[in-house]
Amino acid sequence: MPEGAAPILDVSGLKTVFTTRSGEVHAVNSVSFNLAPGELLGVVGESGSGKSVTMMSLIGLLPSPPAEIRGGTAMFDGHDMLAMSQDELRQIRGSRIGFVFQDPMTSLNPVFSVGFQLMEPLRVHMNMNKAQARARAIELLELVGIPDAESRLDNFPHQFSGGMRQRVMIAIALACDPQILIADEPTTALDVTIQAQILELVKELRQKLGMAIIWITHDLGVIAGIADRVRVMYGGQVVEQAPVRELFSNPLHPYTRALLETLPGFVGARSKRLRTIEGQPPSLDRQPTSCPFRTRCRHANDQCARENPPIRTIANGHDVACFWRPDA
Amino acid sequence: MFNFTVRRLLFTIPTLLFISFVIFFILDAAPSDPTGNLPLTIPPDVREKIRASLGLDQPMIVRYLLWCKQFFINEPLNLLDQWGLHLGDPDRLRVISFQTRSPVVDMIAERMPQTLWVVGMSYVVGVMIALPIGIISAVRQYSWFDQLGTFISMIGFSVPTFFTGVLMIVVFSTIVPRDSFFWFPSIYDTTLKVTDWASFGAQVRQMAMPVFVLALYNAAQISRFMRASMLDNLNQDYVRTARAKGLRERTVLLVHVLRNSLIPVITVIALGVPQVFGGAIITEQVFKVNGLGQLLIIAIQGGDIPTVQTLTFIFAVLIVLFNLIADILYGILDPRIRYD
Ligand SMILES: Nc1ncnc2c1ncn2[C@@H]1O[C@H](COP(=O)(O)OP(=O)(O)OP(=O)(O)O)[C@@H](O)[C@H]1O
Ligand SMILES: [Mg+2]
């Protein structure tokens, strides 16, 4: 991370609540983080920890109702995205913030050609005419490594393999040269070799284009390979964030430590059995008043049940939300 | 696609021949007697002679082949004659109605315009109402508009047209005073010629009630299909992608979602066209529209086998044809479908 650079995205105190028939779901609770220009921020956490909802809240992609953003600010380029109208957000989406989603098999519209879908953001945001958009679309397909781009433009999504489709999704997200690319588990649905190829592609594109990336994943191995900084989420909160080396060498939160232990052969000697994290994910039906991880935590004490540990900076760029300290 | 269409068209020939035979066979097996409506004073041997003069003394298969020759060979040749292309002897035998002794095809041609206007118009109106209602109901799911739409389609769906039709007549032709703007004629007048604005107005008025009754019925079904199909698609991942690209909500809905949602709905609409002709029989009867449906009813009552046979066969052709059209449309709309 370029030290001291002003963040391009600064989120603080984001709260998102879903109102469902069976009550409220507090999916995101006071989440704060920032993103420096050109930085690659990895976001990890188990399923349901609020990774996707956090990102979707920022750019107004959640259906409302049921979703409601109860508080927080998200400063992007000097403007608060959470206070923007849908129309203002729409102009940011796809042009200055690009999105790649998990499932490339269903994320493209089956009845329109890949070229049409790729040209749409160009025509909407950059006011290109058909010919200009087409030329740029060919360029983009070549950029993401699709051979024979010109003729592939008129193909339909079903004529592409999963990995190819994800490349197309990346091309769509990058179409208007965004400052931020948000990738929500972009490789989860792909097999391992394709996953490696996509990772290579993203690394390469980052070198070339220099945008900041938020990379959401379950896979700590992926994070270790590409991220500058890591944010760990649990129960709709950020429980720890640190530069990637620091996090892997000196994890502070018991959940992060447990996560790393579940990684085969990552820390210390290889354990005989694969480690798991016992217990259930927390219920999100109200605002947390205690540590959401305490029922699964080996180090929990009375204080954890009384109050929710606030996130605090421990060392340079290393924040954690826990009362317990490893060497204490 | 072209090969597929040609192949399917060729395949329809034996299908339709088979259907025509089945229709003929069933009509023959039915206990209907074309002399049944004649006065009882006519003695049996005279009746027998009348039957013989209608060709009914021949075995079934002979009569069937005769009908085939008349319908598939003589009628098309006759049509060519009318267009000034003369082939063979112009004195050929056409399909003749038992009741009126006039060619069945001419009777159908006379009645086709009324059916096309009333029934066709009601289908077009129905579809045009149904699609927007379905779309809005899906986009604003559970809103008052959606609830109202659900309620009205439930009525349109479950109340038969012979009830709504008669109800409309009771209200708009009898209760409403004759000189009121809201009075509508209950009988369709075929002799009315549209020559000026006044007669055009009269034509619109006499079409209004049957068209409304049938349109309500059609719209009820199609709007439900449209709504369900839109709802299916609204939750798809590609919709989120479209929004994430920063497209206008209108574009997302009316380009991305609608195009996908229309695929099954258009198939349903195409398949519904022949059914509309059948379903209109009752409405034509209620409003005295002398269209194809009414012709069929009269022919059935009079044991007029050639007319019933020909009309039923034409309905069968429509069904087979619109099945093919539905398949072709499906292939055009959905790029994932490849027929060859
Ligand atoms: N539309 C919705 N209505 C109600 N609750 C929702 C909705 N969308 C998400 N949630 C809830 O929000 C919480 C966070 O979901 P989110 O999708 O952010 O998890 P995630 O961390 O991205 O998980 P995954 O790794 O499985 O993608 C979950 O408990 C989920 O049940
Ligand atoms: Mg997710």
Side-chain angles (χ1 to χ4, degrees), chain A residues 18-20 25 27-28 45-54 62-63 66 102 184-185 216 218 284:
Chain A
F18 291 96
T19 312
T20 66
V25 179
V28 177
E46 65 188 5
S47 204
S49 57
K51 306 183 297 289
S52 304
V53 173
T54 308
L62 288 176
Q102 175 171 349
D184 191 350
E185 305 191 34
I216 300 175
H218 287 132
L284 299 169

Side-chain angles (χ1 to χ4, degrees), chain A residues 56 61 90 93-94 99 101 103 106-112 116-117 120-121 124-125 156 158 169 172, chain B residues 142 236-238 240-241 243-249 251 255-257 259-260 263 333-336 338:
Chain A
M56 308 268 256
L61 272 186
R90 193 175 55 69
R93 286 201 295 261
F99 252 87
F101 296 102
D103 193 348
T106 56
S107 289
L108 288 165
N109 192 329
V111 304
F112 292 109
F116 175 85
Q117 300 186 53
E120 259 182 332
V124 171
H125 297 298
F156 288 90
H158 70 272
M169 284 297 294
I172 291 176
Chain B
Y142 304 133
Q236 299 288 320
D237 287 349
Y238 71 76
R240 187 181 55 187
T241 308
R243 293 203 174 110
K245 284 198 281 193
L247 303 181
R248 277 170 214 287
E249 191 60 16
T251 315
V255 175
H256 284 261
V257 181
R259 175 71 195 274
N260 279 278
I263 295 172
L333 288 173
D334 191 339
R336 287 164 296 186
R338 281 286 164 266

